[in-house]
Amino acid sequence: MSSSDRAMMNAFKEISTMADRINLPRNIIVSRHLVRALHITSLKCVMFFLFLFLQDRTNNLFKQVYEQKSLKGRSNDAIASACLYIACRQEGVPRTFKEICAVSRISKKEIGRCFKLILKALETNVDLITTGDFMSRFCSNLGLTKQVQMAATYIARKAVELDLVPGRSPISVAAAAIYMASQASAEKRTQKEIGDIAGVADVTIRQSYRLIYPRAPDLFPADFKFDTPVDKLPQL
């Protein structure tokens, strides 16, 4: 095996390992062609909790970048991390930069740089992320009920519609909406608990929350059952 092939195989293994750690959805339908191409077994594919088409897309992105030599000077691990981030976005299972960073050895800043360079080099794009892309997963990981999740989703959507959070990232808006919805319910979660799940700092949640708090009475769905009235919500 040439050094070039070896580098590519190592990158594919790293992609599989990262995909496993972020617990992407599992698909037991195994492509024999892909298995042979990537030198992995069908059992590994199942264990990696990864849609094969998503892994295929990630590997193909890396292969294109590697063969074009368009990111000279960047580590293969950084490129692989950025490719996984892009593939997740393109296939509708987005993960945050922080989530990718947590399962790789690469900094958030470096993944972000490679992400931009890859999009430019391959002349491709990704859909804009929205608060809805993360709400279900964040609420589920926080152990919140469907009612709170639906309220948080509604709050985030209304905040965007009313232009209350200009320039704020969808992730920080989602986190602030979850905080507001949980504080109004009996299932209260702290800023730190939400920040740990969403991958944002407490101060980031507070900044977005302060923007939506003045309009809190207008943000809740009409059928929401309050445990804490709107006028008693934290003012921060």
Side-chain angles (χ1 to χ4, degrees), residues 13-14 16 26 45 50-51 59 68 87 96 98 102 114-115 117 133 135 142 150 158 167 177 179 184 212 217:
K13 289 177 183 176
E14 181 65 17
S16 292
R26 173 170 47 186
C45 292
L50 178 68
F51 282 124
N59 289 334
Q68 285 185 17
T96 65
K98 192 158 186 176
C114 286
F115 163 67
L117 290 170
D133 289 327
M135 197 65 79
L142 285 162
M150 290 174 66
K158 288 291 289 184
Y179 180 70
I212 66 176

Side-chain angles (χ1 to χ4, degrees), residues 8 11 30 69 77 89 133 136 159 234 236:
M8 200 170 298
V30 179
K69 302 186 185 302
D77 285 351
R89 289 270 298 268
D133 289 327
S136 176
L236 302 184

Side-chain angles (χ1 to χ4, degrees), residues 31-73:
S31 162
R32 292 180 184 175
H33 174 73
L34 182 60
V35 166
R36 284 198 301 270
L38 303 185
H39 298 271
I40 55 178
T41 66
S42 58
L43 178 59
K44 278 189 178 180
C45 292
V46 173
M47 291 173 63
F48 284 155
F49 298 89
L50 178 68
F51 282 124
L52 287 183
F53 62 79
L54 177 58
Q55 185 171 350
D56 194 22
R57 181 183 285 274
T58 307
N59 289 334
N60 282 335
L61 283 169
F62 180 88
K63 188 171 183 287
Q64 290 177 61
V65 174
Y66 188 82
E67 290 180 343
Q68 285 185 17
K69 302 186 185 302
S70 48
L71 268 71
K72 283 186 177 180

Side-chain angles (χ1 to χ4, degrees), residues 92-152:
V93 285
R95 292 302 189 265
T96 65
F97 277 127
K98 192 158 186 176
E99 286 176 299
I100 301 295
C101 181
V103 299
S104 70
R105 298 181 292 273
I106 310 302
S107 71
K108 178 180 174 182
K109 189 174 183 180
E110 181 62 13
I111 295 173
R113 284 175 179 158
C114 286
F115 163 67
K116 292 176 182 177
L117 290 170
I118 290 169
L119 292 185
K120 183 177 180 180
L122 300 184
E123 298 182 347
T124 187
N125 57 62
V126 292
D127 291 337
L128 293 175
I129 57 174
T130 68
T131 57
D133 289 327
F134 303 97
M135 197 65 79
S136 176
R137 183 156 50 88
F138 288 171
C139 288
S140 175
N141 289 340
L142 285 162
L144 295 170
T145 61
K146 194 72 174 176
Q147 186 206 22
V148 177
Q149 179 187 322
M150 290 174 66

Side-chain angles (χ1 to χ4, degrees), residues 2 27 38 59 120 187 196 209 212:
S2 69
N27 182 3
L38 303 185
N59 289 334
K120 183 177 180 180
E187 305 167 51
D196 286 345
Y209 179 84
I212 66 176

